[in-house]
């Protein structure tokens, strides 16, 4: 049976043979939740970049821009890092350039995958369907927080593995731990994440509404994936 | 309150401020379980090194030697990586040089800690006592398997955090996940680890007896710690 594993931090990505794997990149709070929301509202493409000045340069070329550092948005960008900011008309048909603290790093480090998808609870069943069709092994890459593993991305990894039961084999310890962490918390994810360091950091920014929304499942049955340097709908 | 965190792999150690932290290094299967067993049987000092030829060079200087790579022991060394091999008379008063796949790497990467201890289930309460006396924050460094997090070291981290309830605060996600993983599995650790990749690797080597022994708690109330480049009893 095909195997699914979890990379708990982008800092560990060199330990995995990315060019042979389907990869799901996840940054629940909030980069990949925002990307899924943007595509569901008609975005045409999203270019993830790591540097803010490059993001601004895309802005000068007609892209809408989105930036986040340490949970907040610097001045001069069109979107902040809230999924609600993408639920607006101007997203329809837009090309957007995005830079975030963790999520865009995770995408860059996974870019050699032949099938890179963007996952969130908001589109989790759609991602599971795609992996069921993929004929090789798969890896879930958690964006984490500045290199450290985080709870919410690990919970997503466990939830996705749970959906793939019967299609993929769990053979590695990180995947086992993610699945166990999810099963323990699945009855009330909000309760589970409220103790986490990143959520406390975000709650300090007054975005409890975002947290709650990013934990909802299958709101948007869209599948963003990487083509070249761009995310597009698959 | 003091804070305790978990570094799930030596590959993430640069994300932690080791010089300010008490560090517990753990490699349950089997390096730190062996070290604790050796000290309980009278070893005078253990020098952890990363290269086999350096280990052999210590042998030429009168040290007993122990080596392990990928779970097995190359020819020409005095001990293999089983705790049972240290339960012998020649260990008493001995100076031993040890090299292993993961554990000695984790010790080297943690050596700037002002208080580095060697932990295993075999001495877990003794380690918890030492951390209760330490007046700063603490970090548990899991040796993992070739850079990847593993289940048994994470379970130890969770068990140690559980013993420190009321003395240390759990503020970070990796520590929360380790504690959750342990609580889920605590009723039957052997059952929990039997699915893990590393244990399957070891069971393939025919050492179920080692696995079982390394999960026993408080068999040896000793506290090995680093002084200079040597592990000694604290």
């Amino acid at each position: 049976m095909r195997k699914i594993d979890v990379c708990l931090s982008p800092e560990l990505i060199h330990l995995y043979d990315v060019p042979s794997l389907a990869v799901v990149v996840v940054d629940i709070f909030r980069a990949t939740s925002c990307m899924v929301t943007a595509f569901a509202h008609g975005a045409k493409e999203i270019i993830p970049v790591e540097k803010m000045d490059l993001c601004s340069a895309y802005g000068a070329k007609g892209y809408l821009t989105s930036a986040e550092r340490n949970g907040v948005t610097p001045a001069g960008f069109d979107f902040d890092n809230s999924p609600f900011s993408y639920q607006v008309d101007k997203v329809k048909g837009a090309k957007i350039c995005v830079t975030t603290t963790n999520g865009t790093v995770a995408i860059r480090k996974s870019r050699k995958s032949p099938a890179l998808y963007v996952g969130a609870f908001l589109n989790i069943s759609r991602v599971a369907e795609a992996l069921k069709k993929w004929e090789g092994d798969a890896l879930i890459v958690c964006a984490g927080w500045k290199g450290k593993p985080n709870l919410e991305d690990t919970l997503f990894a466990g939830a996705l593995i749970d959906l793939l039961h019967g299609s993929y084999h769990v053979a590695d310890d990180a995947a086992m731990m993610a699945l166990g962490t999810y099963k323990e918390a699945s009855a009330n994810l909000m309760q589970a994440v409220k103790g986490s360091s990143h959520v406390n950091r975000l709650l300090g920014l007054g975005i409890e509404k975002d947290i709650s929304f990013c934990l909802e499942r299958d709101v948007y049955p869209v599948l963003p994936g990487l083509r070249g340097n761009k995310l597009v709908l698959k």
Side-chain angles (χ1 to χ4, degrees), chain A:
Chain A
M1 197 187 291
R2 295 166 290 176
K3 199 180 75 167
I4 189 154
D5 202 355
V6 178
C7 177
L8 289 169
S9 155
E11 302 264 336
L12 300 177
I13 194 85
H14 59 287
L15 301 170
Y16 299 87
D17 184 32
V18 171
S20 74
L21 300 164
V23 166
V24 178
V25 175
V26 56
D27 182 358
I28 292 297
F29 303 140
R30 296 167 285 169
T32 59
S33 297
C34 284
M35 290 169 178
V36 168
T37 303
F39 279 108
H41 287 82
K44 191 175 169 194
E45 66 178 55
I46 294 179
I47 298 192
V49 301
E50 286 186 63
K51 295 199 184 299
M52 286 206 291
D53 55 1
L54 181 55
C55 190
S56 299
Y58 272 99
K61 290 195 283 185
Y63 280 70
L64 295 177
T65 58
S66 169
E68 171 268 340
R69 285 295 181 274
N70 299 312
V72 299
T73 299
F77 294 88
D78 297 297
F79 300 103
D80 63 18
N81 197 36
S82 164
F84 294 104
S85 80
Y86 294 88
Q87 298 172 0
V88 294
D89 285 345
K90 68 176 173 183
V91 169
K92 197 170 168 61
K95 296 178 175 184
I96 306 173
C97 185
V98 174
T99 181
T100 70
T101 309
N102 306 293
T104 51
V105 177
I107 291 170
R108 179 185 58 82
K109 289 192 169 186
S110 306
R111 71 185 183 281
K112 290 188 178 166
S113 164
L116 187 156
Y117 303 115
V118 167
F121 284 106
L122 297 171
N123 71 336
I124 188 167
S125 294
R126 189 70 188 78
V127 171
E129 276 172 40
L131 289 189
K132 283 179 185 172
K133 287 179 193 154
W134 171 252
E135 293 184 348
D137 294 338
L139 180 70
I140 305 165
V141 176
C142 298
W145 179 260
K146 296 186 176 177
K148 293 182 184 176
N150 75 21
L151 183 61
E152 64 274 14
D153 297 342
T154 307
L155 285 171
F156 170 86
L160 182 56
I161 290 170
D162 195 42
L163 284 176
L164 294 169
H165 182 73
S167 299
Y168 281 84
H169 178 52
V170 174
D172 294 284
D173 288 12
M176 290 175 59
M177 293 192 283
L179 182 59
T181 300
Y182 168 70
K183 284 190 168 173
E184 175 80 2
S186 61
N188 192 337
L189 289 185
M190 187 64 172
Q191 183 65 31
V193 302
K194 273 202 168 170
S196 94
S197 54
H198 189 193
V199 169
N200 279 314
R201 192 180 302 118
L202 291 173
L203 289 175
L205 303 172
I207 53 168
E208 182 152 3
K209 194 175 66 158
D210 284 26
I211 303 297
S212 175
F213 184 71
C214 291
L215 295 176
E216 286 186 34
R217 285 172 89 116
D218 297 326
V219 177
Y220 301 127
V222 298
L223 183 68
L226 198 64
R227 183 184 299 154
N229 68 337
K230 296 170 181 175
L231 296 169
V232 296
L233 279 182
K234 292 278 178 173

